[in-house]
Amino acid sequence: MHINTMQKFVNDPDTFVDDSIIGFVKCYPDVVAHTACSRTLKYIAAPVAGKVGLVAGGGWGHDPAFMGYLGKNMLDAVAIGETFTPPTIESFYEAFRSADAGLGVLCLCGNYAKDIANATVAIKQAAEEKIDVRMVVINDDVAFPDISERRGMTGEVFLWKVAGAAAANGYDLNRMESVAKRAVSDIRSIGVGLASCIIPETGRPNYLIENGTMEIGVGHHGLFSKDTCKLRSANASADIMLSEILNDMPLDATSRVAVMISGLGNTMLSELNILFGRVYDVLTAKGVCISRSMVGNYFTSLDMMGATLTIMRLDDETLQLLNYPGYAVSFSHFYQ
Amino acid sequence: MHINTMQKFVNDPDTFVDDSIIGFVKCYPDVVAHTACSRTLKYIAAPVAGKVGLVAGGGWGHDPAFMGYLGKNMLDAVAIGETFTPPTIESFYEAFRSADAGLGVLCLCGNYAKDIANATVAIKQAAEEKIDVRMVVINDDVAFPDISERRGMTGEVFLWKVAGAAAANGYDLNRMESVAKRAVSDIRSIGVGLASCIIPETGRPNYLIENGTMEIGVGHHGLFSKDTCKLRSANASADIMLSEILNDMPLDATSRVAVMISGLGNTMLSELNILFGRVYDVLTAKGVCISRSMVGNYFTSLDMMGATLTIMRLDDETLQLLNYPGYAVSFSHFYQ
């Protein structure tokens, strides 16, 4: 139970999403821009001549996803739905139009049936205008035992980065599709929830997590979890997350990986750093080489408490793409 | 009252700060490094030959401050205290030693008596080793009516960026000190608190904010606020913050400014974007030119709900310094 229900900065709950999008564009006018559709934003320089366009999309509530990843060598356009609701057909269609520089568009979607359905219709509409759009679906959440049921999760951030770099490096649409599919096959995520989120439009949580417990395998919408257990220590929580991933994607001393710990909203960076420290210790003890790591709030679930662990298995090509310079509001390349 | 007290990832509350620091360094080994003191971290390349060293420091609980701002053309070393507690003399001293490349060190401190006292002793110790350290104190929080009582707040982030760029541009220590003092005179901040934070070491809040109310002028430690009122809309909250700053630092159509909205911890980016949108509208209606703007969790107060507004008045020199490339984990230059 939340006492602090709606201790939030809101004008009108019905315009919460639009108000936030408008504020974001006002803040970053040299990075992002509005399009003909209010729920589609684009990188200011899109469409970028000479490269395949890159589009992602999904429901609201995952700040800084999706709009924080628009930028140079990153996403060209994003389609934005209502809170935890798929983007409309129109929003996807406008994203494809905004991203296409004549070389086609790759659309990256999480594995949610309604998102895919809307994107599929928009792809057909775009085809009528001779815009070639391919879709690659990501299903990194290992909480679901059946692989076809697995949802897209924080791993989308790695996928966007890799695909953005591929486009910037002149990959054609076929090669983009191919490297994105390989990346998807190499990314796994798992979430742990410590407190539910409040839906700003209703002022209420959409489910409950009892105090003193944690939800293993909680989804980004909180609608499914694999198991409920007593709240564990940071190290034990990290161990649980890591073993869920390693059971699905074994790693050994020949493996190179990228690791991301993302907060779900209301979990402090300090805590996320502690989780990372444990993941680092366990992986390096196994001889796994961590080539890139990130801790932050990269893909949230409104104000949920909890964290996700994402691991991406790397080969020479995907490592190079992951480390290629990319500039977005919420994902910058700080290496020299 | 918080129900979700300590729904947190913690191993041992007594080692919470150390565990987090260790995890952070494991995550970013090509950006930051440990030093001889466990509560002092340095930029991996520090001391950087040919430039003045730059040090900041303060208590824990403000993630990503201070360690997230170590990096190229940013901070060279940071001194880290316990939660809401000043860094030790030893920690400051080690930061000075880690940052000094023979051209001296500028130490940037918030206006907290004990932080300043410890830094002052460390400066004397450093002088005995022929390390010339100057201190510039920032007091951007306008909630305090008496300017001598004003505390350092989110504005420190702008100060670090400006001073980091000045050092990178070869400013000597005198010129560094001068530009930092001018920056301080041009920066104002104000906070609004919507829910108190939980101290991880005790599992309890250090003060209370009643549901349905907000604290105008809440400090980063929550220990002082100027006024309590009923919870307002986002726009009304932004208006209150803006008028507190404009009353102290009038702006008009000749003014150029940088604007930052920072979350205090558990306030969503979505909300912060809405606050920014309002600040943008009011300032631009007055003819004020917003040359740079940022929305994010740049300087938090553990898991407090709320936000801070920071405005920095710019001249040609400080604008150029603010826009100069700088690379840290939590402050990257994403402009092209």
Side-chain angles (χ1 to χ4, degrees), chain B residues 257-279:
Chain B
V257 297
V259 177
M260 184 190 301
I261 297 275
S262 176
L264 284 170
N266 280 9
T267 285
M268 298 187 293
L269 271 185
S270 308
E271 300 167 68
L272 304 177
N273 285 331
I274 297 174
L275 292 175
F276 179 82
R278 176 65 170 195
V279 170

Side-chain angles (χ1 to χ4, degrees), chain B residues 161-163 165-167 169-172 174-183 186 256 312-324:
Chain B
K161 181 68 188 68
V162 164
N169 277 281
Y171 283 37
D172 67 17
N174 285 331
R175 218 173 141 206
M176 288 279 291
E177 190 178 8
S178 163
V179 77
K181 282 183 176 168
R182 200 168 80 250
D186 284 337
R256 279 176 303 169
M312 178 175 182
R313 204 165 39 191
L314 299 167
D315 53 39
D316 289 345
E317 185 182 15
T318 52
L319 173 58
Q320 198 170 15
L321 294 171
L322 198 62
N323 282 335
Y324 191 77

Side-chain angles (χ1 to χ4, degrees), chain A residues 7 27 63 194 270 281 293, chain B residues 7 26-27 63 194 270 281 293:
Chain A
Q7 284 292 94
C27 187
D63 257 341
L194 302 193
S270 309
D281 288 346
S293 42
Chain B
Q7 284 292 92
K26 284 176 175 163
C27 188
D63 259 340
L194 302 194
S270 308
D281 288 347
S293 43

Side-chain angles (χ1 to χ4, degrees), chain A residues 1-11 15-17 19-24 26-31 43 60-61 63-64 67 72 192-196 198 200 209-214 231-237 241 259 265-278 280-281 291-298 301-303 305-307 327-330 332-336, chain B residues 1-11 15-17 19-24 26-31 43 60-61 63-64 67 72 192-196 198 200 209-214 231-237 241 259 265-278 280-281 291-298 301-303 305-307 327-330 332-336:
Chain A
M1 183 185 148
H2 259 265
I3 286 291
N4 285 312
T5 302
M6 290 302 279
Q7 284 292 94
K8 295 190 187 312
F9 297 111
V10 176
N11 290 320
T15 62
F16 183 76
V17 177
D19 291 351
S20 184
I21 291 171
I22 289 167
F24 179 76
K26 283 175 175 163
C27 187
Y28 299 104
D30 35 12
V31 183
Y43 168 43
W60 186 259
D63 257 341
M67 61 194 189
K72 184 173 181 180
V192 168
L194 302 193
S196 55
I198 306 290
I209 298 177
E210 295 292 329
N211 203 31
T213 70
M214 57 198 273
L231 181 65
R232 302 288 211 279
S233 71
N235 283 355
S237 303
M241 289 195 276
V259 177
N266 280 9
T267 284
M268 298 187 292
L269 272 184
S270 309
E271 300 166 70
L272 304 177
N273 284 332
I274 298 173
L275 292 176
F276 179 82
R278 177 62 169 196
Y280 174 97
D281 288 346
S291 300
R292 174 90 191 245
S293 42
M294 300 160 61
V295 169
N297 285 295
Y298 290 103
S301 181
L302 293 172
D303 57 356
M305 282 181 168
Y327 304 89
V329 168
S330 300
S332 287
H333 185 84
F334 52 80
Y335 298 94
Q336 295 315 302
Chain B
M1 182 184 151
H2 259 266
I3 286 291
N4 286 312
T5 302
M6 289 304 277
Q7 284 292 92
K8 296 191 187 308
F9 297 111
V10 175
N11 289 320
T15 62
F16 183 76
V17 178
D19 291 350
S20 184
I21 292 171
I22 290 167
F24 179 76
K26 284 176 175 163
C27 188
Y28 299 104
D30 34 13
V31 183
Y43 169 42
W60 186 258
D63 259 340
M67 62 193 188
K72 183 172 182 181
V192 168
L194 302 194
S196 55
I198 306 290
I209 297 177
E210 293 294 330
N211 202 33
T213 70
M214 56 197 275
L231 181 63
R232 301 289 210 279
S233 72
N235 284 356
S237 303
M241 288 196 277
V259 177
N266 280 9
T267 285
M268 298 187 293
L269 271 185
S270 308
E271 300 167 68
L272 304 177
N273 285 331
I274 297 174
L275 292 175
F276 179 82
R278 176 65 170 195
Y280 174 97
D281 288 347
S291 300
R292 175 90 192 246
S293 43
M294 301 161 59
V295 169
N297 285 295
Y298 290 104
S301 181
L302 294 172
D303 57 358
M305 281 182 169
Y327 304 89
V329 168
S330 299
S332 286
H333 184 82
F334 53 81
Y335 298 93
Q336 294 315 300

